[in-house]
Amino acid sequence: MPDTQPTVGVLGTWGYHGLLDDAEQVDIDTPYGPTSDSIVLGSSGGRRLAYLTRTGRHRNIPPHRINARANIWALHSLGVRTILAPTPSGSLRPAIGVGSVVVPDQLVDRTGRTDDTFHDDDVHISFADPFCAHGRRAVVSTLRRNGWVVNDGGVMVAIRGPRFSTRAESRWYAAQGWDLISMTPYPEAALARELGVSYTCIALVTDHDVISDTPWPVTQDLVREGLDANTKRLREALLQVAIELAGTSDAATPAYGRRS
């Protein structure tokens, strides 16, 4: 275990190994079972950072089987107080093109998951603004400086997976005015909030789901092609954000509150 604790972690899908210098792998025992993979601890820009692949390094964990509680708990136990969470996402609006990045500010949960809390007692978290405002500003600013087309704000609907949407579902999501669809930001964001960890979602648009303007439906191959084409460039920009955030003294998101 390194002497210096990381304060910022990247919780990604795939393609982020090799991100850090002097990297070492750490396995954490959690009350919720094993994490998706070993946590990689290393350095960059003079900062100690952490990285965890939510789907496993071999892409062998489907979204509905990701042990989000173990992942978030383990990162927090290592000292991580800020999480950058890049995730593949479908666009529900033709104007948000494939290859662009959206840094959403709102979230709609349609997963139906019940493993979205660390508590079994009467605890209620404040979740009106599910993503960290400070982290969002840092991501938007840095990515734009690096030439990315970035949409600042948007509503992401989280679905359980592993299946993609029906055409009717996709039309309904779009009709609500929602912008993005993904399988990973929930329950991660809620779990991070319970522990007082800042959580910033970075949506890399890989497809247009099955909205009516799209001539072909989303497929797993289409998502992988979109990720593979853009992940290397995105991860370099997010590394700059992580270094910047690790050097600030801004407090993390407040922990949960109670309301009976």
Side-chain angles (χ1 to χ4, degrees), residues 6-27:
T7 59
V8 177
V10 177
L11 181 57
T13 299
W14 64 68
Y16 284 78
H17 280 279
L19 186 70
L20 304 175
D21 299 326
D22 303 320
E24 62 175 306
Q25 296 184 17
V26 176
D27 293 311

Side-chain angles (χ1 to χ4, degrees), residues 76-119:
H76 180 265
S77 74
L78 288 172
V80 169
R81 296 299 180 265
T82 297
I83 291 176
L84 299 176
T87 180
S89 302
S91 168
L92 296 171
R93 294 202 286 119
I96 301 178
V98 173
S100 62
V101 169
V102 181
V103 185
D105 60 343
Q106 278 299 319
L107 177 67
V108 177
D109 171 31
R110 294 285 296 174
T111 66
R113 293 182 64 154
T114 58
D115 58 342
D116 56 352
T117 181
F118 293 109
H119 303 283

Side-chain angles (χ1 to χ4, degrees), residues 8 81-84 103-105 129-142 152 193 198-201 241-253:
V8 177
R81 296 299 180 265
T82 297
I83 291 176
L84 299 176
V103 185
D105 60 343
D129 299 299
F131 304 121
C132 175
H134 177 62
R136 290 184 58 258
R137 287 193 297 269
V139 170
V140 170
S141 175
T142 299
D152 183 2
R193 178 62 54 86
S198 160
Y199 183 95
T200 302
C201 178
V241 180
I243 294 169
E244 175 187 334
L245 291 176
T248 68
S249 58
D250 290 68
T253 303

Side-chain angles (χ1 to χ4, degrees), residues 3 14 29 127 140 146 168 215 223 241:
D3 293 334
W14 64 68
D29 292 326
F127 204 49
V140 170
N146 281 268
V223 171
V241 180

Side-chain angles (χ1 to χ4, degrees), residues 62-65 159-165 183 220:
H64 67 296
R65 301 287 294 177
I159 62 173
R160 181 181 178 88
R163 70 169 179 85
F164 295 111
S165 302
M183 299 179 186
Q220 186 172 12

